[in-house]
Amino acid sequence: MSVAVRVIPCLDVADGRVVKGVNFQGLRDAGDPVELARRYDEQGADEVTFLDVSASAEARETTMEVVSRTAEQIFVPLTVGGGVRSVADVDRLLKAGADKVGINTAAIARPELLSEVAERFGNQVIVLSVDARRCTGETRTPSGYEVTTHGGRRGTGIDAVEWAVRGADLGAGEILLNSMDADGTTDGFDLTMLRDVRHQVRVPLIASGGAGKVEDFTEAARAGADAVLAASVFHFGTLTVAEVKAHMRAAGIAVR
C-alpha cells in the first residue's frame, strides 16, 4: 500500500511576520503567521512548518508566543524550527504546541543532540533540516552536495547525503531536504539531489526549495519525496494546497 504524500506549507518567520525571498535574500513580507496557518489548515494542508529564519543567524530562540498562537488555530501537525540548540529548547517548543521540532545548525555543531532528543521524546519528534547546495569551486564532497548553515550563508564542507544518512542513524525521524540553489526561485525542486538522498535514506523525506507550479510537486513525489513543502507559491496566491493535491491525485499519486 502506498503511503499518501503530504503537502506542507512552510512559514518562514522573521520578527513575528512571514517573509519570503530568493535564496534567502531580498525578503518581503507575506503576512501574519497565525492567519496564514489557519488558511492553510482550511485548504487541507497535511501539516504546517514554521521556521524562524532569523533565529540561528541572530543566535536567539524561536518566538514562543507566535508558536503558541499558531498551534491554537490549526488542527494539523505543526513543525517548528529555528534556533533549537538543546533538549530544553525542544521541550519548550513541544509545550508551546509544536508536534515536531526542526533541528539544523545545532545538530551540525553537536550531532549527539539528535540522539539526546530522540531518547527523551522519540524519533517522531525530530525533523533534521538539511540546507544543501551543489558544490562549487574548492569545496567538493563525494556526493557533490554540501550542507550549509545560517540560511545558506555559510558552507560547512560536510557531504549532504552522508549527513542525511548519519542524522537518521542518530535519531532523526524525518529529513527536510532544502535545496539552497532552488530556494524561492519557483523553478522546480532539485530532483537529482532528491533522488540521490532518497537512495541512501530510509526515513521519510520532505522535498523543499523551488516549487513553482503544480507539476513540480508531482515530479518531487515521483523522485521519492514522502512530503512536498513550499512557501512562495502558497503565500502569494499562485497555488492553493487543494490545487496541488488535485493535480497529484489526477497523476495517480496518493494524497490525503
Side-chain angles (χ1 to χ4, degrees):
M1 190 181 102
S2 60
V3 177
V5 175
R6 291 166 286 148
V7 178
I8 308 175
C10 181
L11 309 175
D12 293 322
V13 180
D15 303 319
R17 297 289 291 177
V18 177
V19 295
K20 196 59 203 163
V22 177
N23 305 126
F24 282 74
Q25 303 298 313
L27 298 180
R28 57 183 175 140
D29 189 276
D32 175 66
V34 182
E35 291 298 319
L36 282 172
R38 188 192 296 129
R39 183 200 304 168
Y40 297 140
D41 189 11
E42 289 166 356
Q43 283 181 10
D46 297 301
E47 296 180 18
V48 171
T49 291
F50 178 116
L51 295 178
D52 194 329
V53 294
S54 49
S56 287
E58 295 163 14
R60 61 170 177 74
E61 291 172 11
T62 307
T63 315
M64 294 292 167
E65 184 257 345
V66 183
V67 171
S68 296
R69 284 185 17 242
T70 304
E72 283 165 12
Q73 293 294 328
I74 64 173
F75 302 94
V76 293
L78 174 65
T79 299
V80 182
V84 177
R85 287 183 290 276
S86 66
V87 172
D89 288 341
V90 174
D91 189 43
R92 275 196 291 275
L93 283 170
L94 295 175
K95 283 175 177 159
D99 297 282
K100 304 179 200 175
V101 174
I103 303 176
N104 183 346
T105 308
I108 294 164
R110 207 172 66 81
E112 55 270 27
L113 174 63
L114 297 171
S115 301
E116 292 165 8
V117 174
E119 207 168 290
R120 172 92 180 267
F121 304 106
N123 300 49
Q124 77 287 346
V125 160
I126 307 172
V127 178
L128 177 63
S129 188
V130 180
D131 290 343
R133 69 182 176 203
R134 288 168 183 264
C135 298
T136 53
E138 299 296 303
T139 315
R140 288 301 299 174
T141 63
S143 71
Y145 310 108
E146 175 192 22
V147 176
T148 69
T149 62
H150 298 78
R153 290 189 288 278
R154 293 187 199 170
T156 62
I158 297 168
D159 186 284
V161 177
E162 288 175 7
W163 174 234
V165 171
R166 188 177 175 209
D169 289 344
L170 285 167
E174 293 184 79
I175 304 293
L176 169 55
L177 182 66
N178 188 26
S179 166
M180 303 312 289
D181 300 315
D183 178 78
T185 63
T186 67
D187 290 334
F189 295 100
D190 188 330
L191 301 177
T192 307
M193 183 166 73
L194 196 56
R195 287 189 195 99
D196 288 350
V197 175
R198 172 78 291 164
H199 286 151
Q200 300 294 329
V201 172
R202 301 277 74 83
V203 298
L205 184 59
I206 305 165
S208 169
K213 55 191 187 300
V214 284
E215 292 82 4
D216 294 337
F217 294 90
T218 303
E219 287 173 1
R222 286 184 175 141
D226 299 281
V228 283
L229 178 145
S232 306
V233 289
F234 294 140
H235 300 341
F236 301 119
T238 312
L239 297 171
T240 65
V241 172
E243 285 168 347
V244 169
K245 286 191 168 187
H247 186 273
M248 291 169 79
R249 204 174 279 120
I253 291 162
V255 292
R256 293 179 186 175

